[in-house]
Structures are given as C-alpha cells and as structure tokens.
C-alpha cells in the first residue's frame, strides 16, 4: 500500500512540474516516469498492493497517452478517446473536436525503381514508376452528444483519367452510448490486422504496406455494415455484420479484387467479423480477428446450382514499443469453400485457379536513433512470407510465383510528427524464381 501511495504522490509532483518544461524535456521525463511505473507494477502484483493496481494502471495509461501526443503532435489520441475506436490518429480527429465540423487528412507518394533482371537472371520487363498513391480528406461532424459522423474521401493515383479513382473509404455514424458500448452504422473499415484500420503513412515504417495485408485481409477493406465496439476492462472489441465479398472477383493472387466497398454491392451474401485486443498495457497491443461469411452473391454454376462460397479468415497480430524500439508481427490464414466449383464456374484451370487456403505473415523491427525526441530516424526491417495458393482444390495446380518471400530493409525519417520520408529496398523471391527486387522512395503527410 505504501508503495502505491508513494507512486501516486510522485505522479502529482511530476504533473506540477510539466508546465515549465519544453516538449523535449517533457518527452524524456515522461519516458523515464513510464519505465519507473512499469517496473513498480511488475513487482506490486502481490499482497496488499493489489488494491491499488487498477489506479496505478490508469495513471500509467494516461502518461503513455500524453507521451504519444508529444510524439505525434495534435493528431494523437487523448486519454478520453475510446481504445476500441479502430482509427488512425488523424482519422479520429472528430472525436477530439468540439461540436460541428472537423477536417483532417493525409497523403503519400512513392517512386519505385525495379531491378532490370529477375532472380533467375532473365530480364524483368518492369518499368520504374512514380505515383501519387493517395490524397485523403477526413470530414467529420459532431452532433449533439452522443452522436458523431466521420468520413474519409480518397483520391487515388492523382487522376481519374489515368487509372485513378475517387473513393469513399468510410462514412458512418457512431452512437457513443458508454465506454463499453458504442454502435456504428454505415461504410466501416473491416477490423482485421494492423493496417486496415490504421493506415496513415506515419503509423507504419515501410514505404509499402505488407502483401499479406494487401492481398489476404485485404487493406484497405471496407464494407457497408452495422455493429458495436467498446472497452471492457483491459480488453477492446469490435464486431460488425457486413455485406460479403464477391467470389466472382477472387484470383490466384488473393482476395483483394473481391471487396465490394459499398459500390452497388451485391447483397445476396453477408458476413460477420469480430476483433478482440488487449489494450491495457501502454505501448503493447495483442489480439486476434475472425471473419466468417459467404461470397457467392447469387453466383450460379453451369448446371444452374447456386454457390455459397464460404470464406473464413483468421488473424493474430501484435505490436510492442519498448522505449525507442518497435516490434510488429502478424499472421493471417484464409480458406475458400467450394473452391473447385468456383474455379470451374469462372473458367479457371491449371495453376490459374483460386486457392482454397491462403496464408501469410510478417515480422517487423525498427529502432529510433533520435534519442526519444519528437523527430524520428529509424532503420527498419520486415520479413514476410505469403502464399495465396497454399492449398488448391483437386484437379488444379499451384503457381510458384504466388509463394513469395519478401525482405524489406529501410530507413524512415520524421523531421516533425506529421511528415515522414522513407527509403527501402525489397528483396523478392518466389518458388517460380521470377521475383524482382525493388527500391522504394516515399514521403507522407498527415494533418
């Protein structure tokens, strides 16, 4: 008990000294205080100190959120924001604003230099590209409590006449009934993985999103739906009923083209998705997501029967930020039912069929060399394996080009929290020995 009281007294004294400090000094002191609290919590989980643990953990979480705010500027989430919100910092801006309209956004551009030869020595035939990947505007509106509207409108690839598009990434209304229960309805982000919901360029290190989260989960995945989210003690959850995928768009490379995104979506088949995360420990996230649905959307076989095409996706994810280091890991596995009948109905044969099992995952490591101040200079590494034809139905074969291993090595620099510059090299190998290495240069902004 004395330990808990001394910690709380120290927190009060610490809080009174913050006003006279510079942001850099506050940042360093916050980091030291958090480390001290974590050590004391680790040794306090016994005897009479148990009565003070909940209060100590709450104080620790508050300090960690202030630390995040200093690192990311005004786009960071405050302590009052629900942990289960499922949004990147700028996307959540409306929840921190007063009544009325809120504006935010982000963007990213990338230059890619492909190797002249493949891993087998043959010419790659690839053309180097420079692309304004996306420019995004968030528009939110806070009605009278407890209702909030939030939306994201995205311009992809700069020009609709050159392969680009203007798309609605999400648009929904929340009813914030309580911290443990909020209801959401509209176009929602599917709560799977680490990137699909939190995909602003300042929230992840490599220049490109992982292939697993692009082709299996697949980011950015949004559908029309209704559901709930909230915080239950140390846990956060999200659960939605959604329009299903469209199986006629499945390919040997994955599920990406099957997203319906609310665009005159076929609504013959539906899905449920749920996610559960441990979010009580500052700097640490661990959880799992599950998607269960059908993707047939009324698709008929040549014999006149209807295909259900059940789809199951399970994923495990984790993120840990001890001090200046950062670790991310993800594993995803998807199964496609009725795969043989689907391939025959779509006229697929040989190695061109949709796989009945897709697997992928990665491990990502980074370390900030910039002494914990608001600027960041971080070398990073990501190792990824993905196989979108891990298993195929009888009568079909696997294409080795879909069984890939990708090593990404790079450096990210943030002069201020809202700007990031990235350079990385990707070594791409596959079982067909046709992988093509590439160099990526990217920049991103958030506001």
């Amino acid at each position: 008990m004395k330990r808990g009281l001394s910690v709380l007294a120290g927190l009060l004294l610490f809080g009174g000294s913050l006003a006279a400090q510079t942001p850099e000094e506050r940042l360093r002191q916050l980091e030291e205080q958090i480390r001290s609290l974590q050590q004391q919590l680790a040794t306090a989980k016994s005897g009479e100190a148990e009565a003070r643990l909940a209060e100590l953990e709450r104080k620790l979480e508050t300090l960690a959120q202030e630390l995040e705010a200093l690192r990311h500027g005004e786009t960071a989430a405050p302590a009052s924001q629900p942990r289960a919100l499922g949004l990147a910092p700028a996307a959540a801006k409306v929840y921190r604003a007063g009544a009325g309209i809120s504006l935010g956004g982000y963007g990213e551009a990338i230059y890619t230099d492909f190797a002249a030869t493949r891993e087998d020595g043959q010419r790659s035939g690839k053309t180097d590209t420079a692309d304004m990947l996306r420019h995004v505007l968030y528009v939110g509106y806070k009605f009278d409590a407890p209702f909030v509207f939030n939306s994201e409108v995205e311009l992809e690839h700069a020009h609709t006449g050159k392969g680009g598009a203007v798309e609605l990434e999400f648009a929904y209304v929340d009813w914030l009934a309580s911290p443990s229960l909020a209801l959401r309805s509209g176009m929602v982000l599917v709560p799977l993985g680490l990137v699909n919901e939190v995909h602003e360029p300042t929230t992840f290190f490599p220049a490109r999103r992982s292939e697993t989260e692009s082709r299996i989960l697949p980011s950015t995945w949004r559908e029309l739906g209704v559901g709930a989210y909230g915080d239950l003690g140390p846990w956060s959850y999200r659960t939605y009923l959604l329009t299903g995928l469209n199986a006629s768009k499945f390919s040997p490379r994955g599920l990406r083209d099957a997203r319906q995104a609310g665009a005159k979506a076929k609504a013959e088949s539906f899905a449920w998705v749920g996610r559960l995360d441990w979010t009580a420990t500052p700097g640490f996230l661990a959880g799992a997501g599950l998607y269960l649905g059908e993707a047939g959307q009324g698709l008929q076989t040549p014999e006149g029967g209807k295909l259900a095409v059940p789809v199951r996706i399970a994923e495990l994810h984790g993120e840990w930020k001890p001090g200046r280091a950062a670790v991310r890991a993800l594993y995803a596995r998807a199964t496609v039912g009725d795969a043989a009948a689907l391939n025959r109905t779509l006229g697929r044969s040989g190695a061109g069929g949709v796989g009945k099992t897709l697997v992928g995952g990665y491990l990502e490591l980074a370390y900030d060399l910039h002494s914990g101040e608001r600027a960041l200079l971080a070398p990073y590494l990501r190792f990824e394996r993905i196989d979108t034809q891990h298993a195929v139905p009888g009568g079909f074969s696997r294409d080795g080009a879909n069984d890939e291993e990708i090593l990404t090595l790079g450096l990210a620099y943030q002069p201020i929290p809202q700007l990031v510059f990235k350079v990385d090299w990707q070594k791409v190998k596959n079982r067909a020995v046709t992988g093509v290495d590439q160099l990526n240069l990217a920049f991103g902004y958030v506001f």
Side-chain angles (χ1 to χ4, degrees):
M1 181 70 71
K2 290 182 179 179
R3 181 196 299 271
L5 292 175
S6 66
V7 170
L8 291 178
L11 283 172
L12 292 175
L13 292 172
F14 171 72
S17 68
L18 288 180
Q21 296 175 330
T22 66
E24 289 75 17
E25 290 170 340
R26 289 179 65 185
L27 187 61
R28 284 192 290 271
Q29 193 164 1
L30 277 170
E31 290 175 329
E32 292 172 2
Q33 189 74 11
I34 287 171
R35 282 194 293 270
S36 175
L37 268 177
Q38 288 172 329
Q39 291 170 359
Q40 295 190 48
L41 281 172
T43 59
K45 295 183 185 267
S46 62
E48 57 182 342
E50 287 286 347
R52 305 301 302 173
L53 281 181
E55 179 67 13
L56 288 172
E57 288 173 347
R58 185 185 68 79
K59 294 289 186 180
L60 180 59
E61 181 179 348
T62 300
L63 285 176
Q65 288 172 332
E66 184 178 352
L67 176 64
E68 194 73 6
L70 280 172
R71 282 175 170 163
H72 295 287
E74 64 178 13
T75 60
S80 60
Q81 183 173 299
R83 300 191 307 268
L85 198 55
L87 294 171
K93 198 170 185 179
V94 65
Y95 296 87
R96 304 186 297 276
I101 293 177
S102 172
L103 297 177
Y106 78 92
E108 53 187 327
I110 189 167
Y111 165 75
T112 301
D113 184 350
F114 293 100
T117 58
R118 309 185 310 192
E119 58 179 314
D120 62 2
Q122 300 296 313
R123 292 191 59 80
S124 68
K126 295 268 191 178
T127 301
D128 299 342
T129 60
D131 187 21
M132 187 68 200
L133 281 175
R134 51 186 60 88
H135 174 76
V136 165
L137 181 64
Y138 296 121
V139 180
Y141 188 85
K142 186 169 284 185
F143 301 94
D144 291 339
F147 297 99
V148 174
F149 167 78
N150 202 12
S151 70
E152 175 183 343
V153 179
E154 178 173 316
L155 172 60
E156 291 188 339
H157 308 300
H159 198 300
T160 57
K162 297 182 179 180
V166 177
E167 297 182 337
L168 188 63
E169 291 285 293
F170 63 74
Y172 62 80
V173 171
D174 274 0
W175 176 34
L176 304 175
S178 72
S180 62
L181 177 64
L183 302 181
R184 179 172 289 172
S185 178
M187 178 91 82
V188 300
L189 297 173
V190 179
L192 294 179
L194 294 168
V195 167
N196 196 59
E197 295 175 301
V198 183
H199 49 252
E200 292 166 7
T202 54
T203 62
F204 61 93
F205 286 101
R208 292 186 178 276
R209 301 171 186 178
S210 75
E211 291 299 309
T212 301
E213 295 192 87
S214 293
R215 289 156 49 193
I216 296 181
L217 292 184
S219 177
T220 300
W221 185 8
R222 66 274 189 199
E223 300 288 350
L224 287 167
V226 60
Y229 66 88
D231 299 326
L232 299 173
W235 300 95
S236 299
Y237 72 91
R238 290 186 285 288
T239 177
Y240 302 122
L241 293 176
L242 307 164
T243 50
L245 295 166
N246 183 356
S248 68
K249 303 296 184 180
F250 287 169
S251 81
R253 295 284 290 173
L255 310 179
R256 186 174 185 82
D257 293 339
R259 302 168 299 172
Q260 297 209 79
K264 296 184 178 179
K266 294 182 178 181
E268 296 285 339
S269 305
F270 293 87
W272 168 84
V273 64
R275 176 189 181 112
L276 186 65
D277 289 314
W278 175 275
T279 53
T281 304
F284 181 78
L285 169 74
L290 181 63
Y291 175 95
L292 306 173
E294 294 186 348
Q297 302 296 358
L299 187 64
Q300 292 190 339
T301 67
E303 297 77 24
K306 281 191 176 182
L307 288 175
V309 194
V311 177
R312 309 288 183 261
I313 304 174
E315 58 89 7
L316 300 172
H317 56 263
E319 185 173 31
W320 184 37
K321 297 178 180 178
R324 287 187 279 163
V327 182
R328 274 186 160 195
L330 178 136
Y331 173 79
R333 180 183 181 91
T335 61
V336 177
D338 298 336
L342 175 63
N343 284 329
R344 288 193 294 269
T345 299
L346 298 179
R348 308 281 176 79
S349 61
V354 175
K356 67 177 184 179
T357 305
L358 303 79
V359 297
Y362 64 83
L363 173 66
E364 185 178 300
L365 307 172
Y367 188 82
D368 181 10
L369 302 175
H370 215 280
S371 304
E373 297 179 0
R374 295 183 72 205
L376 175 145
L377 180 66
Y380 56 83
L381 173 153
R382 182 173 67 200
F383 178 77
E384 180 175 16
R385 285 293 308 271
I386 180 171
D387 186 356
T388 54
Q389 290 179 318
H390 184 70
V392 295
F396 293 84
S397 57
R398 300 172 62 197
D399 183 347
N402 295 323
D403 185 354
E404 296 177 272
E405 182 179 291
I406 306 167
L407 175 64
T408 304
L409 298 171
L411 184 70
Y413 174 57
Q414 289 182 253
I416 59 173
Q418 291 81 23
L419 295 176
V420 64
F421 300 86
K422 307 175 184 182
V423 55
D424 60 41
W425 171 78
Q426 292 185 294
K427 178 69 176 176
V428 182
K429 299 169 61 177
N430 61 46
R431 289 193 177 275
V433 201
T434 58
V436 179
D437 299 344
Q438 60 189 67
L439 176 71
N440 303 304
L441 302 175
F443 83 91
Y445 52 87
V446 60
F447 58 90

